[in-house]
Amino acid sequence: MNKAMLQQFIKYSLILFVCLIQAQEENNKYTAKGNDYYNNKEYAKAEANYRKESAINPLNNISTYNLGNTIYTQKQYAEAISAYKRVTETSKDKAELHKSFHNLGNVFMQQKKYTEAVAAYKNALRNNPKDEETRYNLALAKQLLKDNPPPQKNENKEDKEQQKDDKNKEQDNQDKKDENKKDQDNKEDKSDNSDSDKDQKDKDKQQQKPEEKKGNQEGKFSKQRMESLLEAINNEEKKIQKKMNKEKVKGQPIQQEKNW
């Protein structure tokens, strides 16, 4: 880099530095004006200057914190919460964090959001454990929370209907499972009964077979006996007939010759 270029670079650097200083002074001017208006209780004018400062330098946490205080004084609690939260999210200074969390707790107390207030005061004490005012506010917030517990969230109609549908579907599925199980049990019972009937029939068949054979044997024996009896009767008749024939021959008169 030659001498001319170096001189030109230094010139522009000085101009930039001066501009930055002027801008910083301008910013401080808005913050200073805002503080003056705030001390004079001209909160609307104070708010306007703090907003100008925040627009130019969003990371100016002092101006943002003061903006939150001004809005809080005007009871614009939602915007005050937004301002304090910006400080808690961007600042690394414990004093700034302590004050922002403390005032954030105060806003929640105004809104009767005691759960959020307790959390805010606890964070404030983490950054400054020696602040008795914050400790007192924390104790008060805890007591109010105990006396006024947050209402349970009511389920909306759609959620209830969905839960009802899910419950009905679950019951239908269970009924189907029970019905299928019942049908399966009936099939198994029928199968068991069928097998049992079959076994019983087989047993009856096995028990009947000997009786049938016995009956056949008795029938066969009776026929043989009948034939034997008939044969015996025939033989007896033949004997009687033969005997009768002999007696008949003996009973015929013998012709004697006449003795003259």
Side-chain angles (χ1 to χ4, degrees):
M1 181 181 295
N2 56 35
K3 187 176 180 180
M5 293 180 63
L6 180 59
Q7 290 176 348
Q8 189 175 7
F9 175 77
I10 293 173
K11 179 181 178 181
Y12 284 115
S13 297
L14 289 173
I15 293 173
L16 179 62
F17 181 71
V18 171
C19 291
L20 290 174
I21 292 176
Q22 289 177 349
Q24 186 66 35
E25 289 178 352
E26 188 73 13
N27 293 343
N28 292 334
K29 182 180 69 174
Y30 287 124
T31 302
K33 283 185 178 181
N35 292 340
D36 291 337
Y37 285 126
Y38 182 87
N39 293 329
N40 292 327
K41 297 183 180 180
E42 297 182 62
Y43 300 120
K45 293 180 179 180
E47 178 185 348
N49 281 275
Y50 291 137
R51 288 188 182 278
K52 288 180 180 179
E53 175 72 21
S54 295
I56 296 171
N57 185 9
L59 297 180
N60 189 332
N61 290 320
I62 294 176
S63 181
T64 304
Y65 171 78
N66 290 346
L67 174 63
N69 291 342
T70 304
I71 299 172
Y72 171 77
T73 303
Q74 298 176 82
K75 297 182 180 181
Q76 302 295 324
Y77 299 129
E79 292 187 46
I81 290 174
S82 178
Y84 292 136
K85 281 187 175 181
R86 278 163 53 191
V87 178
T88 62
E89 292 170 356
T90 59
S91 179
K92 295 181 180 180
D93 184 85
K94 284 185 174 293
E96 292 178 357
L97 291 171
H98 164 250
K99 292 179 180 179
S100 296
F101 277 120
H102 179 95
N103 286 0
L104 191 60
N106 291 344
V107 178
F108 287 133
M109 289 286 281
Q110 291 291 338
Q111 295 179 323
K112 297 182 179 181
K113 295 180 179 180
Y114 304 121
T115 301
E116 292 84 348
V118 169
Y121 289 135
K122 285 182 178 180
N123 285 325
L125 286 174
R126 289 189 182 99
N127 290 279
N128 185 6
K130 297 180 179 181
D131 190 342
E132 294 301 324
E133 184 179 353
T134 303
R135 195 176 303 279
Y136 172 82
N137 288 359
L138 174 61
L140 179 61
K142 285 183 177 180
Q143 185 61 45
L144 290 171
L145 178 61
K146 183 178 179 180
D147 296 338
N148 303 276
Q152 295 181 352
K153 293 182 179 180
N154 294 326
E155 297 176 342
N156 56 40
K157 187 176 180 180
E158 292 181 359
D159 291 339
K160 289 183 178 180
E161 291 294 335
Q162 184 64 38
Q163 289 183 358
K164 186 177 180 180
D165 292 340
D166 294 340
K167 187 175 181 180
N168 290 336
K169 288 180 181 179
E170 184 178 355
Q171 185 63 39
D172 292 340
N173 292 332
Q174 185 63 38
D175 292 341
K176 288 182 180 179
K177 288 181 180 179
D178 294 340
E179 187 175 354
N180 292 334
K181 184 177 180 182
K182 185 176 180 181
D183 293 340
Q184 185 66 27
D185 292 341
N186 290 336
K187 289 181 180 179
E188 291 178 357
D189 291 340
K190 289 181 180 179
S191 177
D192 293 340
N193 292 334
S194 178
D195 295 338
S196 178
D197 293 341
K198 185 177 180 181
D199 293 340
Q200 186 63 35
K201 288 181 180 179
D202 292 339
K203 289 180 181 179
D204 294 341
K205 189 174 182 180
Q206 291 176 359
Q207 292 176 357
Q208 290 176 357
K209 283 183 179 180
E211 294 179 358
E212 291 175 357
K213 287 180 180 179
K214 184 178 179 181
N216 292 335
Q217 288 175 356
E218 288 179 353
K220 186 176 181 181
F221 178 75
S222 297
K223 185 177 181 180
Q224 290 177 352
R225 186 176 182 183
M226 184 70 70
E227 291 177 353
S228 298
L229 288 173
L230 289 174
E231 186 177 358
I233 291 172
N234 291 330
N235 291 335
E236 190 64 25
E237 287 181 351
K238 287 179 181 180
K239 289 180 180 180
I240 294 171
Q241 186 66 34
K242 187 176 181 180
K243 184 176 180 180
M244 288 179 64
N245 289 334
K246 287 182 179 181
E247 290 180 352
K248 184 178 180 180
V249 172
K250 285 183 177 182
Q252 289 181 354
I254 300 174
Q255 291 183 1
Q256 297 179 352
E257 290 179 359
K258 188 175 180 178
N259 188 9
W260 299 98

